[in-house]
Amino acid sequence: MTREIDCAYCRGGDGLEDRLWTGEKCRVVLIHDTAFAGWCRVIWNYHARELTDLTRDERIHVMDVVAAVEAGLLDLLSPTKINIAALGTAAPHLHFHVIPRFADDPTFPDPVWLPATRASKRALPAGFADDMRRHLGML
């Protein structure tokens, strides 16, 4: 597994996210360019396309991080449901979307990638990013 300077995922961050936690092998970011308040992404720090590219211990680790993000979102936001997705893109970085879902979100109960049926009026509570950092600090 490698890191490359010209890779956006290796460089990390594009101004549309907040870093919530950084570990040696992966990181957690809060995404801002979405109508779904609280959308987080767990990003593997090195080039790995698929979950099966990781060792067993690495797979356990990244899934523990995904579960910690889910637990923090459940505790802090009390969503109706959490969606977890790993979608294929051209980017050679395994990453998981961890998305809190609410009955009033733009596409509920349908997937987040469908056209919105309503505008989002939900905002994150004050101090949310710091509260998530505290949750993830236990990793």
Side-chain angles (χ1 to χ4, degrees):
M1 291 183 284
T2 63
R3 285 191 195 201
E4 296 180 17
I5 293 173
D6 65 342
C7 173
Y9 279 95
C10 285
R11 284 191 316 273
D14 57 9
L16 299 175
E17 62 190 35
D18 279 338
R19 188 79 54 106
L20 297 177
W21 178 83
T22 301
E24 179 186 334
K25 296 180 180 182
C26 60
R27 63 191 181 269
V28 177
V29 297
L30 173 64
I31 307 301
H32 294 297
D33 65 338
T34 176
F36 298 86
W39 186 317
C40 292
R41 194 176 292 142
V42 177
I43 303 167
W44 193 251
N45 288 334
Y46 302 94
H47 284 199
R49 290 187 182 276
E50 309 298 341
L51 188 59
T52 53
D53 290 341
L54 306 181
T55 67
R56 183 176 189 278
D57 287 344
E58 289 170 336
R59 289 192 303 268
I60 290 168
H61 175 68
V62 75
M63 296 313 294
D64 282 348
V65 174
V66 168
V69 172
E70 178 185 83
L73 292 171
L74 287 167
D75 183 51
L76 297 172
L77 300 178
S78 300
T80 304
K81 178 75 177 117
I82 296 280
N83 289 168
I84 297 173
L87 303 172
T89 65
H93 279 268
L94 178 67
H95 61 279
F96 293 87
H97 301 265
V98 187
I99 310 158
R101 301 298 307 275
F102 301 90
D104 63 349
D105 79 30
T107 63
F108 193 85
D110 295 320
V112 297
W113 290 277
L114 291 181
T117 58
R118 66 186 74 77
S120 176
K121 297 177 183 162
R122 187 170 295 278
L124 291 172
F128 173 79
D130 288 334
D131 289 341
M132 276 297 286
R133 287 182 185 102
R134 278 190 283 283
H135 270 273
L136 298 172
M138 296 178 251
L139 287 171

